[in-house]
Amino acid sequence: MRALTRLAAAAALFLPAAAHAQADPAGSGPIVAALSWMQGTLLGTVATAVAVMAVAAVGFMMLTGRMNWRFGATVIIGCFILFGAASIVGGIQQAAGVG
């Protein structure tokens, strides 16, 4: 009986619960619009320019023989996360059964 209870508790931990989206509170329209604009700006042209400069810096460091491998790995992983964020979130939501 005890093992069955533990098994049920463990199963409940691993089963995803459906997330319920809540409506935006009254008066939050301008705030949501401003945050959406900021997200579009930071993930658009600005992010692309910063990523290009970071990869160029890593390449220049490799050319001059002063490559810091930790910095290089950080740049590559950061670019992957930044530009793949939508795919990563979509995969997590699909795995959880939300989306």
Side-chain angles (χ1 to χ4, degrees), residues 8-71:
L13 287 176
F14 292 110
L15 293 175
H20 299 287
Q22 296 179 357
D24 294 331
S28 68
I31 296 171
V32 171
L35 290 175
S36 296
W37 173 82
M38 186 179 296
Q39 177 187 11
T41 301
L42 291 177
L43 292 178
T45 310
V46 175
T48 304
V50 170
V52 167
M53 288 187 282
V55 170
V58 169
F60 184 72
M61 289 170 58
M62 287 178 76
L63 272 169
T64 58
R66 298 179 291 139
M67 179 62 193
N68 180 358
W69 291 102
R70 177 178 260 173
F71 177 69

